[in-house]
Amino acid sequence: MTKPTQAASREKLTDRIYQQIKQDIFDFRLLPGDRFSENEVAARLAVSRTPVREALTQLQREGYVTVLFRSGWQVNPLDFEQFDQLYDVRLVLELAAVKKLCEMESVPELTALKSFWLAKPDERAQDEQRVCQADEEFHQIMVAATGNREMARIHQDITERLRILRRIDFTQPRRLDITYEEHAQILRALLGKRVDRASTLLKAHIEASKAEVRKITIHRLHTARTRSRV
Amino acid sequence: MTKPTQAASREKLTDRIYQQIKQDIFDFRLLPGDRFSENEVAARLAVSRTPVREALTQLQREGYVTVLFRSGWQVNPLDFEQFDQLYDVRLVLELAAVKKLCEMESVPELTALKSFWLAKPDERAQDEQRVCQADEEFHQIMVAATGNREMARIHQDITERLRILRRIDFTQPRRLDITYEEHAQILRALLGKRVDRASTLLKAHIEASKAEVRKITIHRLHTARTRSRV
DNA sequence: TCCTCCAAACTTGTATACAAGACAGTATAC
DNA sequence: GTATACTGTCTTGTATACAAGTTTGGAGGA
């Protein structure tokens, strides 16, 4: 019988670089279509090519970048058809979550959302970035609360993939109130176990995002491109 | 303006090794819980550690193996709770696919399935492995036929993750006829655009797999363990 | 027999070396 | 001016080297 081993998992350089590059993409420091080499990234971060390669390989698998055989890497261009499809999958998962949540007896995770989303209008957070993050968390928590960790993981991956769009979506102050209102309605429906109403609201909520995202993105992307390069 | 470049993507050693190791896991040459080192794999396949590492990193992200810090790799033990959750996600995706397919006008992909699954009993394939593969393809095609490539990709990943179970499931000859019958019923319902019936059948079909898998697996795994090591 | 300590052998994580091929820019032919 | 061939630089894919830490097995003592 072998000893019960437990080699601690350490912080790896690869993971840090992975996060860094992904963040660079989200923040438009790396723009869709941009090309770059492993050496460039390695030099900028003062590490060797090895962990950079591992990070890039992961990002490729997740659909963020593509390697061109012996010819560098490229940030994947924005593919709106793909984003539409991802929104659809996300909706499917969340509708399933809604159904399950309404069948469950008590869901403390949902109750915990009340203080933020059911706050009075004058007590609402006005910081765009904060609301954007809370928005992601709302959906994330909804799925995770069902107890299906695999579904939550897949949902998380999709959310991250869509983040680059959702960020832009929320830079319009007008959207902020609407976001609050829609989430509040959904949350009330969930707490009241009204599955049909919650589903309808959720569907409309996501469809609205889908519709709005495309036109705004194109404009924002243009302004970002003229501002910064990496 | 830069030239429209296209560096062809070549067959990479990493990919071959990735497939090889995954197959080793599916075929129980690498057993759940087994530990091994990068050097072992590299020596066995007569390559260096580099591509082996890349392959293993991918497999880790997909949930097949885990690295133990400076202490080797381990094939993830079978986690039945996880498999249950994956089955649930797969069901959610396929139910969404069923709904969409029944709303679509014509679906040639489904018609193409008739020759195999609606064959007369005496014309049916009896080869377990072939039926097993056709079973995977049935579900895969169903989802892909909706046109949502992202959903199809996610569904594919889940199917692969569950393959190790489904293989075992089909080693029981009794299951073969049932499989034929259930798929035939689902296909007929789909072709007849009877969404509720198709959904009900599909749900029962997947629930049955879930229920059956656990007890069979444990027995088979035991016999496999006593037969071979890698 | 059982425990402790220690050193040698492994193991991964990261850096570096090298090879085959892609690309860009230039010189040359016309 | 235009097209073409070529050469030097750059890029990834793979192999190897080294560093830091873990595991294992045995010597020694009680």
Side-chain angles (χ1 to χ4, degrees):
Chain A
M1 186 64 85
T2 58
K3 271 182 205 162
T5 167
Q6 72 230 41
S9 88
R10 298 285 180 95
E11 170 88 13
K12 276 182 266 189
L13 211 43
T14 298
D15 296 332
R16 189 169 65 75
I17 297 169
Y18 167 86
Q19 292 295 346
Q20 175 74 54
I21 299 175
K22 193 151 81 171
Q23 201 58 47
D24 284 347
I25 293 172
F26 289 153
D27 294 345
F28 294 114
R29 282 186 294 273
L30 280 171
L31 290 166
D34 272 359
R35 292 180 63 170
F36 60 93
S37 76
E38 295 169 6
N39 275 325
E40 280 172 43
V41 179
R44 183 155 57 86
L45 302 179
V47 296
S48 80
R49 272 180 59 215
T50 307
V52 172
R53 265 186 77 78
E54 295 202 354
L56 286 173
T57 307
Q58 290 299 348
L59 288 165
Q60 173 167 242
R61 190 91 177 145
E62 292 167 25
Y64 291 99
V65 298
T66 302
V67 65
L68 308 165
F69 187 70
R70 274 169 194 165
S71 183
W73 292 76
Q74 182 172 37
V75 182
N76 284 353
L78 298 183
D79 179 345
F80 288 103
E81 193 188 343
Q82 184 187 37
F83 289 136
D84 269 14
Q85 293 175 352
L86 284 170
Y87 266 120
D88 285 341
V89 179
R90 193 164 76 100
L91 178 59
V92 165
L93 296 180
E94 293 188 14
L95 285 176
V98 162
K99 190 166 162 231
K100 178 142 186 211
L101 290 174
C102 286
E103 289 164 357
M104 290 167 69
E105 302 212 348
S106 75
V107 188
E109 290 94 329
L110 290 182
T111 313
L113 290 173
K114 282 163 74 174
S115 66
F116 188 94
W117 293 104
L118 300 186
K120 290 175 190 155
D122 58 313
E123 290 170 354
R124 286 174 180 169
Q126 293 299 321
D127 177 26
E128 286 168 17
Q129 209 159 1
R130 176 140 164 60
V131 174
C132 176
Q133 192 190 334
D135 175 44
E136 268 195 16
E137 282 172 13
F138 179 94
H139 295 267
Q140 197 65 45
I141 287 171
M142 206 170 62
V143 175
T146 65
N148 189 321
R149 285 192 304 277
E150 291 303 311
M151 190 182 291
R153 184 182 54 75
I154 294 168
H155 181 269
Q156 168 80 18
D157 286 346
I158 296 173
T159 299
E160 289 215 336
R161 198 77 189 80
L162 291 171
R163 184 176 294 161
I164 197 166
L165 297 182
R166 308 182 79 239
R167 281 218 159 181
I168 296 163
D169 196 22
F170 278 92
T171 52
Q172 298 234 340
R174 189 184 66 76
R175 289 288 299 158
L176 229 122
D177 285 340
I178 297 178
T179 301
Y180 260 106
E181 200 47 51
E182 289 181 355
H183 281 119
Q185 288 183 338
I186 294 169
L187 184 54
R188 282 197 207 96
L190 279 174
L191 291 169
K193 309 286 186 204
R194 286 174 296 179
V195 58
D196 288 335
R197 174 160 173 76
S199 299
T200 306
L201 289 168
L202 185 63
K203 213 175 293 186
H205 176 58
I206 292 188
E207 288 297 332
S209 296
K210 266 176 66 170
E212 205 154 336
V213 146
R214 175 174 277 144
K215 56 183 182 221
I216 301 174
T217 304
I218 291 166
H219 169 67
R220 301 287 300 183
L221 181 61
H222 176 71
T223 64
R225 185 176 289 280
T226 58
R227 263 207 314 273
S228 66
R229 306 293 299 181
V230 171
Chain B
M1 188 61 87
T2 58
K3 270 183 204 161
T5 170
Q6 70 208 49
S9 89
R10 297 286 181 91
E11 171 88 13
K12 275 181 268 187
L13 211 44
T14 299
D15 296 332
R16 189 169 65 76
I17 297 169
Y18 167 87
Q19 292 294 346
Q20 175 73 55
I21 300 174
K22 194 152 80 171
Q23 201 59 46
D24 285 347
I25 294 173
F26 289 152
D27 295 344
F28 294 114
R29 283 187 295 274
L30 280 171
L31 290 166
D34 272 359
R35 292 180 62 168
F36 60 94
S37 75
E38 295 169 6
N39 274 326
E40 282 172 43
V41 180
R44 183 154 58 86
L45 302 179
V47 295
S48 80
R49 273 180 58 213
T50 309
V52 172
R53 266 185 75 78
E54 294 201 356
L56 286 173
T57 307
Q58 288 299 349
L59 288 166
Q60 173 167 243
R61 190 136 223 303
E62 292 167 24
Y64 291 98
V65 298
T66 302
V67 64
L68 308 164
F69 187 72
R70 271 165 196 169
S71 181
W73 292 76
Q74 182 171 35
V75 183
N76 284 353
L78 298 184
D79 178 345
F80 289 103
E81 193 188 344
Q82 185 187 36
F83 290 136
D84 269 14
Q85 293 175 352
L86 285 169
Y87 266 120
D88 285 341
V89 179
R90 192 164 77 100
L91 179 59
V92 165
L93 297 180
E94 294 189 13
L95 286 176
V98 162
K99 190 167 164 229
K100 179 139 185 211
L101 289 174
C102 287
E103 290 166 355
M104 289 166 69
E105 301 213 348
S106 76
V107 187
E109 290 94 330
L110 290 182
T111 312
L113 289 173
K114 282 163 74 174
S115 66
F116 187 96
W117 293 106
L118 299 186
K120 289 173 190 156
D122 59 311
E123 292 170 352
R124 287 175 179 169
Q126 293 298 323
D127 176 24
E128 284 169 18
Q129 207 158 2
R130 174 140 165 61
V131 175
C132 176
Q133 193 189 334
D135 175 43
E136 268 195 16
E137 281 171 13
F138 179 94
H139 294 267
Q140 196 66 45
I141 288 170
M142 206 171 62
V143 175
T146 65
N148 189 321
R149 286 192 305 277
E150 291 303 310
M151 190 183 291
R153 184 182 53 75
I154 293 167
H155 181 269
Q156 168 79 16
D157 286 346
I158 295 174
T159 299
E160 289 215 337
R161 198 78 187 80
L162 291 171
R163 183 176 293 160
I164 198 167
L165 296 183
R166 308 184 76 237
R167 281 218 159 183
I168 297 163
D169 195 22
F170 278 91
T171 52
Q172 298 234 341
R174 190 184 64 78
R175 289 287 299 157
L176 228 121
D177 285 340
I178 297 178
T179 301
Y180 260 106
E181 200 47 52
E182 290 180 354
H183 281 119
Q185 288 183 337
I186 293 168
L187 184 54
R188 283 197 206 93
L190 279 175
L191 293 168
K193 310 285 187 204
R194 285 174 297 178
V195 57
D196 288 336
R197 174 159 172 77
S199 300
T200 305
L201 289 168
L202 185 63
K203 214 176 294 188
H205 177 59
I206 292 188
E207 288 297 332
S209 296
K210 265 177 65 170
E212 204 153 336
V213 145
R214 174 174 278 142
K215 57 183 182 224
I216 301 174
T217 304
I218 291 166
H219 168 66
R220 301 285 300 183
L221 181 60
H222 175 71
T223 65
R225 185 176 290 279
T226 58
R227 263 206 316 272
S228 66
R229 306 293 297 180
V230 171

